[in-house]
Amino acid sequence: MGLPHGLDGTVEGREYLTFRIAQEEYGIDILKVREIRRYEAPTRIARTPAFIKGVVNLRGTIVPIVDLRMKLHQDCRPVYSEFTVVVILNLLDRVVGIVVDSVSDVLRLSDEQISDVPEFEGAIEVDSIEGLGTVGDRMLILLDIEKLMSNVDMGLVAADA
């Protein structure tokens, strides 16, 4: 299967890294992903929100680690398994890690495969969702990870940066 091309020969759409948290599948812009690592317990920092698991030293860079399950489903207890990974992200001028249940694959989605987000109340602020992606029977929640991480309660990335 070839990549979708526009009339000028350019490749259409954007690529997303897809991952699972509980029964839901999410996607984030692959250009924000620096690397994917096996989960190792970070060093806990006192008086941080529960979803901030602590920090790790990544080749000399101190990286805060956020449990995305706890952030998105605030009443859930994290479950770490052999498939649990940390996705290291480059967000604005910061490096941040997010803990997810498992990584699925990288998908290219065209604009036609992405739907607008309906209005609803939920754990995620709607403006942190770019859209809903459809690939066959799969429905992906496409996160604007920079907006999600720049929320005031996160305190990891300045919202005005």
Side-chain angles (χ1 to χ4, degrees):
M1 185 170 128
L3 297 173
H5 288 79
L7 296 175
D8 61 356
T10 59
V11 177
E12 292 183 344
R14 291 177 47 197
E15 288 186 318
Y16 294 89
L17 174 71
T18 64
F19 57 89
R20 288 195 163 278
I21 298 176
Q23 302 304 313
E24 298 164 354
E25 193 169 17
Y26 295 87
I28 56 175
D29 185 346
I30 192 69
L31 297 177
K32 307 287 186 222
V33 177
R34 181 173 173 170
E35 65 182 88
I36 299 168
R37 303 172 51 91
R38 185 172 57 103
Y39 177 77
E40 295 176 23
T43 301
R44 181 89 178 126
I45 303 293
R47 301 182 57 144
T48 55
F51 55 81
I52 297 179
K53 302 305 294 177
V55 296
V56 296
N57 184 340
L58 182 63
R59 296 180 291 280
T61 301
I62 302 302
V63 177
I65 304 296
V66 174
D67 189 307
L68 205 54
R69 172 190 289 255
M70 294 177 74
K71 170 63 181 148
L72 299 177
H73 309 277
Q74 295 178 3
D75 58 346
C76 292
R77 294 194 175 272
V79 178
Y80 303 124
S81 73
E82 62 189 277
F83 301 108
T84 303
V85 296
V86 177
V87 180
I88 304 294
L89 305 167
N90 287 318
L91 301 177
L92 302 173
D93 292 329
R94 296 283 307 263
V95 178
V96 177
I98 57 171
V99 179
V100 301
D101 290 351
S102 64
V103 170
S104 302
D105 48 20
V106 175
L107 296 174
R108 177 174 295 278
L109 298 177
S110 67
D111 292 343
E112 292 79 32
Q113 292 175 290
I114 300 174
S115 303
D116 291 334
V117 180
E119 294 291 326
F120 63 91
E121 298 268 336
I124 311 173
E125 297 81 16
V126 173
D127 64 346
S128 296
I129 301 175
E130 289 182 358
L132 299 173
T134 304
V135 180
D137 294 339
R138 295 165 65 185
M139 176 73 75
L140 305 169
I141 301 168
L142 304 175
L143 295 176
D144 183 333
I145 198 69
E146 284 186 346
K147 279 188 182 172
L148 185 64
M149 291 296 172
S150 64
N151 284 347
V152 173
D153 65 333
M154 297 292 283
L156 297 173
V157 178
D160 59 348

